[in-house]
Amino acid sequence: MSSPSKRRVLLLGSTGSIGQSTLKVARSMPDEIEIVGLAANRSVELLAEQVHETGVKQVAIHDTTQENALRRLIPQDVSIHSGPEGLIELARMEGADIALISIVGTAGLHPALAAIETGKDLAIASKEILVMAGEVVTQAATQHGVKLLPVDSEHNAIFQCLDGHGNPGEVSKLILTASGGPFRQTPAAELVNVTPEQALQHPTWDMGPKITIDSATLFNKGLEMIEARWLFGIGMERIDVVVHPQSVVHSMVEFCDGSVLAQLSNTDMCFPIQYALTWPRRIKGDLKALDLAKLAKLEFEPPRFEDFPALHLARDAGLSGGTLPAVYNAANEVAVQAFRNGLISFPDIWHCVKRVMDTHINLPSSSLDTILKADREARLAATDFCTSS
Ligand code: MG
């Protein structure tokens, strides 16, 4: 018997870092969370293990060439949805209360909208969903009466700080914390020598390669500024960033009376995932509270805006709105891959994004087609930059 309060969770992107942490959270509270559907890109063996563990009856695989391999590994009574359309079909499934989407890149956009349109709350772990399509997604959520729950640790922290203090007139600003990445203290002149291996060493968080490099360039924080603008309906000019190397304070809200509320926990994505899935309740799981007395210190410092231009570019994109945030995201994605492939230098990631943004003709972002077209054009322009530089 499932308890009446049990959350039925559809997990899209189950084999990645966030997906695996979500399954860990689910495992720790079987009376609270039930996984009812799984989707992955192409890691069939891990996906098959997860199907056996959770007993789901519906699964989606993005890469159609892996469908047969998956079929051989899972019970016959499990339905397989395949390809980009398969992910959308799964997102529309009945019998799920919430869809947690942690799919890298733009592939999560249509499934996210499909989940909203079929009345599911959305736990958002993929930044692209709100960075690219913040207007479309927030409007759809309002229209269908579903809740958007942030899984990113910073936004989840702000969400927790705002709980019960949501009156927009009382909020002065949102303060996103940034670890500063591995090059926080590297002199600007030396950034040109940074190798992909060095950029993949994150000081505090264990994450996938794309987001780890984004943390080193601060593009990750830039994307989070734009994401925050949509999630909390607050102007870009009231979204601040402070560097906090220990990554213990996950973000803060400053109120009109001068008080600041912060959310603190150990650096483990299971914390925000659990809160997003059990909200509005707090449930005792397996996670260990901070031992404050053992923390030697908590430091804060301003970001190096001039040496790490990703934040200025994000503010420009967020203030302009339209398709520019999608362009910021797409150009960065191409540039990160080019950097990993040794085609461009570390600072070229910024140069590439700036160039592509400067040449983009901005359009209103009220349709997904317009956004996706801007995304494709930005990728072409960024590829051009990376192969000709
Ligand atoms: Mg984050």
Side-chain angles (χ1 to χ4, degrees), residues 127 151-155 176-177 205 207 211 215 220-221 224 227 250-251 269:
K127 295 190 166 67
V151 170
D152 212 345
S153 61
E154 293 79 0
H155 306 85
L176 296 168
T177 52
W205 289 101
M207 306 176 291
I211 186 171
S215 298
N220 183 54
K221 212 50 54 182
E224 288 177 355
E227 203 184 351
H250 297 300
S251 278
M269 283 307 291

Side-chain angles (χ1 to χ4, degrees), residues 35 79 98-99 118 132 179 227 257 294 324 345 347 354 374:
I35 304 290
S79 312
I98 182 166
T118 47
M132 295 179 66
S179 70
E227 203 184 351
D257 60 358
K294 274 195 184 154
L324 204 55
S345 74
K354 181 166 183 347

Side-chain angles (χ1 to χ4, degrees), residues 29-354:
M29 43 184 65
D31 294 338
E32 303 294 338
I33 295 170
E34 180 185 2
I35 304 290
V36 294
L38 295 168
N41 182 25
R42 61 191 320 276
S43 307
V44 279
E45 281 172 15
L46 181 53
L47 179 59
E49 268 177 45
Q50 295 175 341
V51 169
H52 286 283
E53 183 197 332
T54 56
V56 299
K57 295 297 173 211
Q58 298 214 48
V59 64
I61 183 92
H62 188 256
D63 182 345
T64 51
T65 67
Q66 299 301 312
E67 185 181 344
N68 290 338
L70 180 63
R71 184 74 279 168
R72 286 192 289 275
L73 294 172
I74 62 174
Q76 284 305 314
D77 65 339
V78 178
S79 312
I80 301 180
H81 305 271
S82 147
E85 283 302 316
L87 260 63
I88 298 171
E89 284 164 22
L90 185 72
R92 292 187 172 281
M93 75 175 272
E94 285 178 17
D97 305 307
I98 182 166
L100 190 151
I101 307 212
S102 62
I103 298 173
V104 180
T106 55
L109 264 179
H110 282 109
L113 282 170
I116 291 173
E117 285 161 7
T118 47
K120 297 173 188 74
D121 288 339
L122 203 65
I124 302 178
S126 308
K127 295 190 166 67
E128 291 82 3
I129 293 172
L130 287 172
V131 169
M132 295 179 66
E135 187 179 352
V136 174
V137 169
T138 50
Q139 276 177 7
T142 307
Q143 187 189 338
H144 294 276
V146 304
K147 187 83 185 163
L148 301 178
L149 298 147
V151 170
D152 212 345
S153 61
E154 293 79 0
H155 306 85
N156 193 271
I158 291 170
F159 184 65
Q160 294 192 41
C161 295
L162 286 173
D163 228 356
H165 307 277
N167 185 344
E170 294 177 2
V171 176
S172 303
K173 59 183 176 186
L174 309 181
I175 306 166
L176 296 168
T177 52
S179 70
F183 312 119
R184 181 170 63 90
Q185 295 174 313
T186 305
E190 287 174 26
L191 291 173
V192 71
N193 301 318
V194 163
T195 65
E197 291 68 33
Q198 291 169 328
L200 285 168
Q201 302 298 318
H202 196 275
T204 47
W205 289 101
D206 181 14
M207 306 176 291
K210 160 73 168 50
I211 186 171
T212 303
I213 292 186
D214 283 348
S215 298
T217 56
L218 294 192
F219 266 104
N220 183 54
K221 212 50 54 182
L223 293 166
E224 288 177 355
M225 290 167 71
I226 301 171
E227 203 184 351
R229 180 246 172 281
W230 288 109
L231 264 174
F232 305 111
I234 199 162
M236 280 304 282
E237 67 286 354
R238 290 199 287 152
I239 300 173
D240 264 9
V241 174
V242 66
V243 172
H244 167 47
Q246 290 81 17
S247 302
V248 168
V249 175
H250 297 300
S251 278
M252 298 169 263
V253 177
E254 184 190 296
F255 292 92
C256 59
D257 60 358
S259 277
V260 175
L261 293 190
Q263 185 265 339
L264 291 72
S265 73
N266 287 311
T267 51
D268 180 343
M269 283 307 291
C270 289
F271 282 93
I273 291 168
Q274 180 175 317
Y275 190 74
L277 295 183
T278 61
W279 179 88
R281 298 178 303 154
R282 288 189 184 272
I283 310 277
K284 181 173 163 46
D286 275 353
L287 303 174
K288 291 230 169 1
L290 274 175
D291 187 341
L292 283 168
K294 274 195 184 154
L295 287 173
K297 56 184 173 183
L298 296 178
E299 297 167 294
F300 299 93
E301 62 194 39
R304 291 162 58 192
F305 287 105
E306 298 311 319
D307 300 336
F308 293 81
L311 300 178
H312 280 322
L313 293 172
R315 182 152 287 152
D316 289 348
L319 284 171
S320 304
T323 44
L324 204 55
V327 166
Y328 174 89
N329 171 67
N332 175 54
E333 225 175 281
V334 171
V336 167
Q337 194 54 50
F339 167 67
R340 289 180 67 193
N341 293 344
L343 278 174
I344 60 170
S345 74
F346 186 74
D348 275 342
I349 301 176
W350 299 306
H351 302 150
C352 173
V353 175
K354 181 166 183 347

Side-chain angles (χ1 to χ4, degrees), residues 20-36:
Q20 294 187 56
S21 294
T22 303
L23 288 167
K24 196 172 151 198
V25 170
R27 217 172 280 139
S28 76
M29 43 184 65
D31 294 338
E32 303 294 338
I33 295 170
E34 180 185 2
I35 304 290
V36 294

Side-chain angles (χ1 to χ4, degrees), residues 316-317 319-325 327 357 359-365 374:
D316 289 348
L319 284 171
S320 304
T323 44
L324 204 55
V327 166
M357 282 174 68
T359 52
H360 176 68
I361 296 163
N362 204 9
L363 293 169
S365 65

